[in-house]
Amino acid sequence: MRTLFVTDLDGTLLNQERKVSNKSAGILNESIAGGALFSVATARTPATVGPLLQDVNCTLPLIVMTGAAIWDRKDNRYIHASFHGESTAKSLVDLYRKHGLSAFVYVLGSDNVIHIYHIGDMSPLEKEFMEERLFTPYKKFHIPGDGNSELPEKLDRVLLFYSMRPTEEVRRVYEDIKDSGQLRAVFYHDMYGEEIALMEVFSPEASKANAVKILADMVGADNIVAYGDNVNDLPILEVADDAVAVENAVDEVKRISSRIIGPNTEDSVARDIKRKISAK
């Protein structure tokens, strides 16, 4: 039996400093050298995933943008992507503008780079989010001072709409689109607290679950062990043969998990993978 180990990053593999600790990196590298098939499934893009995993000898492709794409770090190319249909993307732009909700729009260019646009005026938090990601070869921002980008003429390669605004502002749009059947919207709170809601809107085919299945097929794995902490990890936990929550996970994640390990602050994911590999 070939086992694929897949973990979320923030709140799961990453520690309180939002890094892979030296201890975790060492344990993971030992496990990978011993044959472990290791990957991640994260909401992040390659711009931050690459640096975060720089000390981990992960050779498998990585699931990024909550499953909207699978990225081969070795060759720096996207080997799978799920796009919004062009008419759906245009309708979403109109809906966001109607509600006055700002959003980043992620477009995969033919140059294998993520091009990012923005709808609406930018908040200080959005500006900070953008400025932390400006200097990277993996993405390019097309956002003027007021935040209102001129969008591409064709919107046929849109991967993601991403909002980070006050909770009630985001909730209004989420309620409008969550049951549409043509979209997959993920609404949750994360590192910014309860006052700020995050919402990611994808095509129906874009999910961590689908991406994990595709990756498992690629590497010939017939068993999946998945680790998570937040509601956007539920899809990978639901398709895993062994669904594992870290101790700091939200209650909804703990309820569907087959077991609970220690918190993200104690190298718990890396230690659990090593234990599973050693038990073979």
Side-chain angles (χ1 to χ4, degrees):
M1 183 169 61
R2 287 171 63 82
T3 298
L4 173 63
F5 295 93
V6 183
T7 181
D8 172 53
L9 288 178
D10 292 276
T12 306
L13 179 65
L14 304 188
N15 61 17
Q16 66 270 33
E17 297 174 348
R18 286 191 272 169
K19 296 179 179 178
V20 178
S21 73
N22 291 336
K23 183 69 173 178
S24 279
I27 294 172
L28 288 172
N29 288 338
E30 180 182 343
S31 297
I32 292 167
L37 299 174
F38 173 80
S39 185
V40 305
T42 176
R44 291 174 176 267
T45 70
T48 54
V49 173
L52 283 170
L53 295 180
Q54 63 181 351
D55 295 326
V56 179
N57 300 328
C58 180
T59 58
L60 296 190
L62 308 172
I63 297 166
V64 296
M65 289 175 279
T66 318
I70 300 176
W71 177 61
D72 184 339
R73 181 172 68 165
K74 180 170 61 73
D75 294 332
N76 186 23
R77 64 186 181 93
Y78 292 85
I79 58 177
H80 174 79
S82 297
F83 300 113
H84 284 286
E86 185 165 18
S87 61
T88 302
K90 288 179 178 177
S91 296
L92 269 173
V93 170
D94 292 341
L95 181 67
Y96 277 81
R97 286 176 172 162
K98 172 187 170 184
H99 283 277
L101 180 66
S102 63
F104 293 98
V105 183
Y106 288 63
V107 178
L108 180 57
S110 57
D111 55 358
N112 224 35
V113 170
I114 298 293
H115 294 259
I116 302 178
Y117 303 83
H118 191 265
I119 303 166
D121 296 338
M122 293 195 78
S123 70
L125 180 60
E126 288 171 314
K127 288 180 180 177
E128 179 183 341
F129 176 87
M130 178 182 71
E131 288 166 359
E132 288 176 352
R133 293 158 173 79
L134 283 175
F135 304 104
T136 169
Y138 302 115
K139 62 174 64 169
K140 182 177 181 181
F141 287 86
H142 304 265
I143 303 176
D146 66 357
N148 282 288
S149 298
E150 183 176 337
L151 297 175
E153 185 176 339
K154 294 189 70 177
L155 291 174
D156 59 338
R157 292 177 63 85
V158 176
L159 289 165
L160 164 66
F161 288 77
Y162 178 63
S163 294
M164 47 193 313
R165 298 289 293 185
T167 295
E168 290 312 310
E169 289 182 26
V170 180
R171 193 188 306 277
R172 284 195 292 271
V173 178
Y174 176 70
E175 293 296 332
D176 246 13
I177 65 178
K178 66 176 183 177
D179 298 320
S180 70
Q182 296 183 335
L183 301 165
R184 192 176 68 82
V186 183
F187 175 97
Y188 62 105
H189 297 93
D190 205 345
M191 65 189 77
Y192 303 109
E194 294 296 314
E195 296 81 12
I196 299 295
L198 307 182
M199 183 169 69
E200 302 163 330
V201 183
F202 306 94
S203 75
E205 296 78 24
S207 75
K208 284 185 177 182
N210 285 342
V212 166
K213 290 177 184 177
I214 291 168
L215 182 58
D217 285 342
M218 285 180 184
V219 300
D222 49 15
N223 185 61
I224 298 170
V225 180
Y227 302 85
D229 77 305
N230 213 328
V231 293
N232 65 341
D233 300 318
L234 291 173
I236 60 169
L237 297 173
E238 288 166 350
V239 300
D241 299 284
D242 185 9
V244 187
V246 285
E247 187 179 289
N248 51 286
V250 299
D251 289 342
E252 192 173 354
V253 167
K254 288 180 177 178
R255 277 196 298 270
I256 73 151
S257 295
S258 51
R259 56 194 178 91
I260 300 171
I261 58 175
N264 66 311
T265 55
E266 296 181 4
D267 306 300
S268 300
V269 169
R271 292 178 187 277
D272 191 70
I273 292 173
K274 180 180 179 180
R275 181 186 65 80
K276 296 278 284 187
I277 290 292
S278 299
K280 285 187 176 181

